Amino acid sequence: MRSPSEMRIIEIDITNACIHQCSNCTRFCGHHKTPYFMEWEMFKKSVDSLLEYGRCIGMMGGEPTLHPQFERFARYLAEVYPGQHHVPASNQPIPVFSNYIRDKNYLQHECLNRHRGPGLMSATSKRYFQHFDLIQKLFSYQSINDHNNPSLHQPVLVSRKDLGIPDEAWFPMRDNCFFQNQWSASITPKGAFFCEVAGALDMLFNGPGGWKVEPGWWKRTPDEFGDQLQWCELCGGALFQQGRLSSEEIDDVSPSLLKKLEEIGSPKLRRGAVSVLQSIPAYDGKEMPNIRRRYLSDFTKRVSACNQAIYPEGIASLLPASDGASGVQRNQMLAQAEADWLFLPASPESHLDGQLIERLKKVVLNPEVLYRIEGPDGNGWLFYRRAKALRQAGFDGIAHCASWEEFLHFWPEEQKCVLADGFDRFQNPDLEVWTTYAQGAATEHQDEIERCLKKIRSDYQ
Ligand code: SF4
Ligand code: SF4
């Protein structure tokens, strides 16, 4: 076991609402009758308690972007606990998003910020996409996993006593627990915990709560973990090296935990998504690595190409900008369009080519950016129909627009971007601006930064 002060991340669990109910989730999503959402005062207190911690403070769920105050929380965390450096973005489309985030974590979080700064753990939901621009600007580190690719999750709701593991074998196992030694301590609405799984168990089974959230709580050492270690008795975290596919959405539980789930009226149990374990199963061929990213060690698989939350679902064309529509008609067009992205042709002759549409649907576009498309395959502007610029303008703002030209002014200049030729060929569209930034950054670790940039470039050759 380790002191939280030695960990790379301390998580603040702001909600246990999630878009999935993965097998053996460490937050037990699906077993709560109603999800919780951390209060603002508790979040603020949590962040403030960690100001001297010096590593990554993570916003975690469930899916944290589902929290109704996600933006307020994220802005506060980034304001009082910023990373020292933030690499710029070019706003160009991103073809392979998982690789882009992997590169950004490596350069920005590990090399430039030395692991200090705000972090986000997300299943890249639609709400993630709605906050896309904010997230890229505020967070120094992101751990993403949309769970669309095969990912193994080890059993958690298992008691060693049910499996007949005696004290002399158990205590060394517990002290070597993968989660406590590789993952994080956490804060839930009920206090601070030496281990994030213990915090989630306390929430699930109406436990007594954690330590008082006050500056320095995270300096406790294992000999001070005290009663919180009782949660290990209800936890399989230290017992398994094998897992079940997260997509099966079934939890492996031992008999005494089954009883506890019955007592709390678990909805996931009621719908039969639980398998009772009597012993440690063999799970042939499903051994998990003993590394920090054990749940899906290949970062490139963390966002799938079929992720419908962040890749454009559809692109529809509006009437051309020259058609002289009234403000009211503009509102009607936006409301009736049957796609999440809209193309405004510059002239009646300018249609968006079908092949270009297919290429655009394979890249991640920033929903807050107005893309200018110029070329034989299309001449006009592309925008997300729920872009913040339009939400801020509102129905009345759009209705009072005298022309499409005026409408296009809703986007600030820094949120406009000319779509580059061959935009889907740049594996990492920001690498050049990152390189310029990183080479000019005042840090003592320039050698490491050069190695990092070289490694990122070599991945794309
Ligand atoms: S995405 Fe994460 S938090 Fe949500 S159910 Fe799956 S493992 Fe749990
Ligand atoms: S056994 Fe469970 S509660 Fe105990 S340290 Fe491991 S993961 Fe945390």
Side-chain angles (χ1 to χ4, degrees), residues 2-35:
R2 326 174 271 173
S3 164
S5 63
E6 295 169 45
M7 296 174 174
R8 297 159 64 100
I9 301 177
I10 292 179
E11 307 284 12
I12 305 177
D13 284 18
I14 63 170
T15 180
N16 57 5
C18 193
I19 53 167
H20 296 301
Q21 294 193 358
C22 299
S23 303
N24 300 325
C25 166
T26 59
R27 275 23 183 212
F28 315 115
C29 295
H31 289 294
H32 308 86
K33 283 190 188 154
T34 50

Side-chain angles (χ1 to χ4, degrees), residues 28 69 120 136 174 237 251 368 385 429 443:
F28 315 115
Q69 297 195 72
L120 177 70
Q136 310 316 317
R174 183 197 68 181
D251 285 356
E368 309 309 344
R385 66 188 293 186
T443 112

Side-chain angles (χ1 to χ4, degrees), residues 204-257:
L204 179 65
F205 293 130
N206 306 315
W211 299 315
K212 188 171 176 199
V213 177
E214 57 192 357
W217 68 263
W218 43 272
K219 291 181 184 164
R220 284 180 174 81
T221 50
D223 56 312
E224 298 170 281
F225 291 169
D227 287 350
Q228 287 202 8
L229 291 171
Q230 285 306 313
W231 289 115
C232 301
E233 296 293 329
L234 301 179
C235 179
L239 301 176
F240 295 88
Q241 297 303 327
Q242 314 92 332
R244 180 190 284 278
L245 278 175
S246 64
S247 54
E248 291 177 41
E249 300 202 344
I250 290 175
D251 285 356
D252 301 289
V253 308
S254 70
S256 63
L257 271 296

Side-chain angles (χ1 to χ4, degrees), residues 26 36 38-39 50 93 112 166 170 193 239:
T26 59
Y36 70 78
M38 184 180 272
E39 302 278 343
L50 293 165
L112 286 165
W170 164 243
F193 291 84
L239 301 176

Side-chain angles (χ1 to χ4, degrees), residues 1 170 174 177 179-180 194-195 197-198 201 231-232 235 237-238:
M1 297 244 178
W170 164 243
R174 183 197 68 181
C177 176
F179 291 97
Q180 216 283 336
F194 78 107
C195 162
V197 185
L201 283 165
W231 289 115
C232 301
C235 179

